[in-house]
Amino acid sequence: MEIFLIIFFCLCLFFPLLHLFHCLPWFREEDEEKKEPMESEKGISILVPSYNEAGIIETSVESMKSLAYGNFEVLYINDGSVDETLPLLHQLLHLKPSHKCPQRNLSHKEVDIVYQSSLYPHIYVINKVNGGKADALNAGIEYSSKELVVTLDADTVLTPPALDVVNEKFSDPNVVAAGGMVHVLQTKSANPLKKLSLAGTKMLVRVQMLDFLKAFYVTKLSLARFQALAIISGAFGIFQKSALIEVGGYRSSVGEDIDITLKIHRYIAKLKDKKVLLITDAISYTELPETWRDLFKQRIRWQKSYMDCLVHFRTFLGKTVFTKAVSFFYIIESFFVGILAAYITAGFFVANALMNMAFVVIGFILVYLAYIFLFNFIYNLLAISQLKRYGFSFEKGEHFLLFNTVVYDVLIHRFVTMYFVMYGSIAYFFNRDWKKVERTGRTYHVDSASQPPTYNQKAR
């Protein structure tokens, strides 16, 4: 028992420590260095799958209008919405029928009509029969005409220079796919490339913001340097269109973002020097849940997504677990340490409550609790420090709010997250459906890069 506990503790400590150090500037890759602005612009197709997005679609359109890039098109894929999404797009864009044609490489549900904006000719709307997010993305790929494909959630706002940074990174022909940096839309300030604001945010939003900072500026950054990034966030992903077609597009699943990333890794495993990046200078903002109900739906979906891809890609992951970094971290870290450790930890607590256990086990639990509190406190501070290192800071006078959020995260949210992992991992085998997270109904105004964004509450 003692040997098992020691091994378990060491594994739980090893991977967080590894990422804690590997995300630091000492391990910076050549791909992360800033280059001179590119003279030529690669063509970029931005795909925005939209199902019942009336509460956020105006913000998305305003964001597309503010992008400082020339060679791009935007395709909103209205996936059979039953709310006011399509009428709003008509109102905002002055749509007219378009003759844009598909390339017939990927299958998807029937497209009723394709529209083009009279006001902004580079913006299109594909109106199709409902088939789910993966199906909508496949339709978007089919109708896209550029060499790079950017996928965004409808509530994702790109900062004006984001596409220029993408263009620069994909000037390397070996870059097949990449993830952009995702910040929290509710913390977007008047200077979205330098400042974050906690004003008016709930504790639930702030603690999710910490989750995102730790995920993107510590864990994902470290994994990308190992060529082990297994999740290109659906909120902001970038792909070579040819690669998406080669892998057969998106699979209809509970987690299309993990699925397409692992498909890309399986595809480039046979190709020399091809890679997947995290682009730290391509900044986006996405809206996060503001209620426990919606947070529960989101996190359970995330966990079901992980389990779905673990099962679906089991052959690839199993065969390459010791030869490909992405497989090693997906199985050893995410499954054995991330998921099984949650059950083992909970089991120790339950056993200790029901039985008169040996002193050594009680001592282990106390030591493990101390580790959780101290290490997670350090992890939060590192994420905030990383944020500063990449040029961001919080508004003046918000440090007390930030400190309170860190304490809440360490003492409470850490265990709530553990519950989400445990519940979602089991729920996958009984119910693979997922429920859409409700939008807040706010309109975030992002008229230009220089104009400060605000938001107003809309009727839902």
Side-chain angles (χ1 to χ4, degrees):
M1 175 65 76
E2 291 184 36
I3 294 177
F4 173 76
L5 293 176
I6 292 172
I7 294 174
F8 169 74
F9 183 79
C10 288
L11 279 175
C12 290
L13 188 62
F14 172 74
F15 287 102
L17 274 176
L18 176 65
H19 296 317
L20 189 150
F21 285 102
H22 196 235
C23 73
L24 296 175
W26 309 323
F27 302 98
R28 195 178 182 93
E29 296 283 327
E30 183 179 349
D31 295 320
E32 299 174 51
E33 301 297 333
K34 291 185 178 181
K35 302 177 183 178
E36 293 295 322
M38 302 296 297
E39 293 184 3
S40 61
E41 291 183 337
K42 289 183 177 293
I44 298 177
S45 296
I46 300 177
L47 311 185
V48 188
S50 307
Y51 175 71
N52 292 352
E53 300 291 359
I56 198 70
I57 202 69
E58 183 177 350
T59 297
S60 177
V61 171
E62 291 298 315
S63 171
M64 295 302 103
K65 288 160 52 179
S66 71
L67 295 178
Y69 198 76
N71 188 11
F72 80 106
E73 63 179 0
V74 182
L75 290 85
Y76 286 96
I77 306 101
N78 181 46
D79 191 40
S81 296
V82 294
D83 67 350
E84 295 299 306
T85 299
L86 186 58
L88 277 172
L89 286 170
H90 270 285
Q91 176 185 327
L92 295 167
L93 298 172
H94 293 194
L95 299 176
K96 63 181 181 180
S98 167
H99 297 292
K100 199 173 186 56
C101 297
Q103 297 177 352
R104 306 192 186 284
N105 292 309
L106 304 174
S107 61
H108 54 79
K109 294 286 187 179
E110 181 182 357
V111 171
D112 295 327
I113 188 171
V114 178
Y115 297 103
Q116 184 177 16
S117 172
S118 300
L119 300 177
Y120 314 101
H122 63 293
I123 300 182
Y124 297 85
V125 174
I126 301 170
N127 192 46
K128 64 180 288 292
V129 175
N130 179 261
K133 187 175 180 180
D135 190 81
L137 287 166
N138 285 339
I141 296 168
E142 276 291 285
Y143 282 87
S144 65
S145 61
K146 308 297 184 181
E147 62 179 299
L148 297 183
V149 169
V150 169
T151 62
L152 303 179
D153 285 342
D155 60 349
T156 298
V157 171
L158 292 180
T159 53
L163 296 186
D164 285 310
V165 179
V166 167
N167 183 55
E168 171 202 314
K169 298 301 181 184
F170 276 80
S171 64
D172 181 351
N174 287 321
V175 178
V176 176
M181 298 299 276
V182 182
H183 288 193
V184 178
L185 188 55
Q186 288 95 325
T187 67
K188 191 171 184 287
S189 74
N191 188 353
L193 294 172
K194 294 292 183 182
K195 291 279 187 180
L196 300 179
S197 174
L198 302 179
T201 56
K202 302 177 181 179
M203 175 64 81
L204 192 60
V205 171
R206 295 199 299 274
V207 78
Q208 290 177 81
M209 176 203 68
L210 285 180
D211 285 343
F212 270 54
L213 295 185
K214 287 181 287 186
F216 282 88
Y217 286 97
V218 181
T219 309
K220 284 179 180 286
L221 184 56
S222 171
L223 288 172
R225 290 172 177 175
F226 282 121
Q227 274 300 294
L229 186 63
I231 308 174
I232 293 176
S233 174
F236 185 15
I238 312 103
F239 306 87
Q240 286 187 3
K241 179 181 175 179
S242 59
L244 290 175
I245 294 172
E246 282 291 330
V247 302
Y250 286 80
R251 174 175 65 96
S252 181
S253 68
V254 69
E256 71 288 327
D257 50 358
I258 306 179
D259 181 81
I260 197 65
T261 310
L262 290 179
K263 274 188 173 184
I264 293 291
H265 275 290
R266 187 171 61 185
Y267 166 65
I268 66 175
K270 304 172 185 177
L271 304 174
K272 186 179 180 181
D273 297 328
K274 299 298 182 181
K275 50 194 171 184
V276 176
L277 303 182
L278 179 70
I279 307 179
T280 55
D281 296 323
I283 308 298
S284 69
Y285 286 81
T286 197
E287 191 176 67
L288 294 189
E290 294 192 1
T291 68
W292 280 104
R293 176 187 175 90
D294 283 332
L295 179 62
F296 177 83
K297 289 191 291 187
Q298 182 193 68
R299 295 303 174 92
I300 297 307
R301 184 205 172 188
W302 287 0
Q303 195 58 32
K304 286 182 178 180
S305 301
Y306 172 85
M307 296 301 298
D308 180 71
C309 289
L310 180 67
V311 172
H312 184 77
F313 291 94
R314 62 189 181 277
T315 301
F316 167 69
L317 295 170
K319 287 183 177 180
T320 60
V321 65
F322 294 115
T323 59
K324 295 294 178 183
V326 65
S327 302
F328 177 81
F329 282 97
Y330 200 90
I331 292 179
I332 305 300
E333 180 186 16
S334 299
F335 181 68
F336 285 105
V337 176
I339 296 177
L340 293 186
Y343 290 108
I344 292 171
T345 301
F348 275 126
F349 281 110
V350 172
N352 184 50
L354 298 177
M355 301 169 58
N356 184 19
M357 299 185 70
F359 177 77
V360 65
V361 176
I362 298 174
F364 165 78
I365 292 175
L366 293 176
V367 170
Y368 187 65
L369 276 175
Y371 149 74
I372 288 176
F373 294 143
L374 179 61
F375 196 81
N376 278 280
F377 189 77
I378 294 173
Y379 222 75
N380 276 296
L381 295 183
L382 173 68
I384 295 169
S385 176
Q386 280 283 93
L387 182 73
K388 185 176 181 180
R389 184 173 287 118
Y390 280 86
F392 285 88
S393 62
F394 290 93
E395 296 285 4
K396 291 182 179 180
E398 295 184 344
H399 293 90
F400 183 70
L401 275 177
L402 190 59
F403 177 78
N404 284 348
T405 307
V406 170
V407 171
Y408 174 81
D409 179 57
V410 171
L411 296 180
I412 298 175
H413 190 68
R414 171 71 175 83
F415 298 98
V416 174
T417 302
M418 186 183 297
Y419 168 74
F420 290 150
V421 169
M422 296 170 63
Y423 183 95
S425 298
I426 294 175
Y428 166 76
F429 295 99
F430 295 92
N431 180 0
R432 299 180 187 181
D433 295 334
W434 61 277
K435 297 180 179 179
K436 179 180 171 65
V437 173
E438 295 295 327
R439 304 303 185 199
T440 63
R442 295 194 181 111
T443 299
Y444 299 82
H445 297 293
V446 284
D447 294 333
S448 69
S450 60
Q451 190 170 1
T454 59
Y455 55 77
N456 299 312
Q457 190 68 36
K458 288 177 61 180
R460 295 182 59 184

